[in-house]
Amino acid sequence: MTDPNDVQLKKGALELCVLALLARRESYAYEIASTLAERVGMGEGTIYPLMRRMQSDGLVATWLVESTSGPPRKYYRLTPAGRTAYEARSREWRSFVDSVDLFLGERQ
């Protein structure tokens, strides 16, 4: 059974992970979901609603690209607001991690 605290911690960081992936390069939904499932252990059921919310919040733009191996792929890229959000949340995350590390004795 998965620890509920672990799930909540991951959900809290998931948007930042998506922003970080898209800050590196545009990508399609399944690739984003697969990468996050592999690296963070979050299922597609959590990732796809997040992607829809990020689109409605104006953080990402989408477009469809025809695929030779199935239905069209929905691609995502950061909007200027998304890039700004990524930079701000990245700074907030690093500050948070530094603070937690103090409690864990990792930093002086």
Side-chain angles (χ1 to χ4, degrees):
M1 183 170 170
T2 304
D3 179 357
N5 291 325
D6 186 46
V7 170
Q8 288 305 312
L9 180 65
K10 289 177 181 179
K11 279 185 179 181
L14 199 56
E15 183 173 306
L16 177 57
C17 292
V18 171
L19 291 169
L21 285 172
L22 293 175
R24 291 181 183 96
R25 65 182 178 90
E26 28 191 67
S27 186
Y28 59 96
Y30 180 76
E31 182 178 49
I32 294 167
S34 296
T35 300
L36 292 173
E38 177 184 313
R39 294 184 188 173
V40 183
M42 294 301 293
E44 292 176 14
T46 304
I47 296 165
Y48 284 110
L50 171 64
M51 300 301 294
R52 284 191 295 276
R53 185 180 58 74
M54 290 175 71
Q55 183 179 1
S56 68
D57 289 349
L59 300 178
V60 297
T62 64
W63 71 100
L64 292 176
V65 175
E66 291 299 322
S67 172
T68 58
S69 61
R73 290 180 174 168
K74 188 174 191 178
Y75 274 79
Y76 292 82
R77 73 169 162 254
L78 289 183
T79 62
R83 185 151 308 273
T84 299
Y86 167 65
E87 292 165 357
R89 291 177 189 156
S90 180
R91 283 190 304 273
E92 292 164 5
W93 177 259
R94 292 184 194 292
S95 176
F96 175 71
V97 168
D98 287 347
S99 296
V100 171
D101 281 349
L102 286 172
F103 285 103
L104 298 176
E106 299 294 324
R107 296 210 174 114
Q108 299 297 326

